[in-house]
Amino acid sequence: MTGAEAATSQRIDKWLWQARFFKTRTLAARTVSEGKVRVNGTRISKPARPITPGDTLTFPQGRAVRLIRILAVGVRRGPASEAQTLYDDLDPPDTSLHKEQAPKGPHFQGKGRPTKRDRRAIDLNRRTHLE
C-alpha cells in the first residue's frame, strides 16, 4: 500500500471504531467477520477490506440498522464531534418512535402503598415488556 493509497482508504474495522460506532475495534471486526456489514450493498466478511470516501455502509447497531455514507477516512479515534465529521447518516434514528411504541402499563395512583393486586399487575406488565 503506497502513501497516497493509505490516505484515501482504510480498513473497515478500524474506520468503524474511529467513527465511534463500536466501543472496541475487536467488536467492529467481529461484526464484520459475522457478515453483518454491507459495503455498497455487498455483504463482506473480512475486517481488512479497505473502504474509501463515498462508500455506503449498512450494519446493525443495537436494535436499529444504520445506513452511513463515508465522507472521510479518520486519522485517530478522537472526540465524538470529530468522529461525526467522518460520515453522513442517511437514515437518522428517530428517538420519538421508541417512546410512542411502548404501551402504557398499569400505574400506581400514589394513594398510599400499592396493594398486592396492584404489585402483581405492575410485575406482569414489566415481564411482558422485557421479553
Side-chain angles (χ1 to χ4, degrees), residues 1-87:
M1 188 183 301
T2 64
E5 186 181 344
T8 60
S9 68
Q10 188 175 37
R11 288 176 57 117
I12 188 165
D13 61 335
K14 189 172 183 180
W15 188 89
L16 287 168
W17 171 70
Q18 286 180 349
R20 295 187 163 267
F21 288 110
F22 293 94
K23 198 170 191 176
T24 64
R25 189 168 165 187
T26 305
L27 287 174
R30 185 179 308 145
T31 303
V32 174
S33 296
E34 291 172 352
K36 295 180 180 178
V37 178
R38 293 177 184 261
V39 177
N40 299 325
T42 305
R43 183 175 292 198
I44 61 166
S45 61
K46 295 189 178 190
R49 184 194 187 286
I51 49 120
T52 58
D55 286 344
T56 303
L57 303 180
T58 308
F59 58 93
Q61 187 179 32
R63 293 184 180 189
V65 175
R66 303 294 302 265
L67 183 61
I68 305 296
R69 178 178 297 126
I70 299 172
L71 298 178
V73 176
V75 179
R76 65 184 183 120
R77 181 177 166 99
S81 58
E82 183 180 315
Q84 290 173 350
T85 63
L86 299 177
Y87 62 90

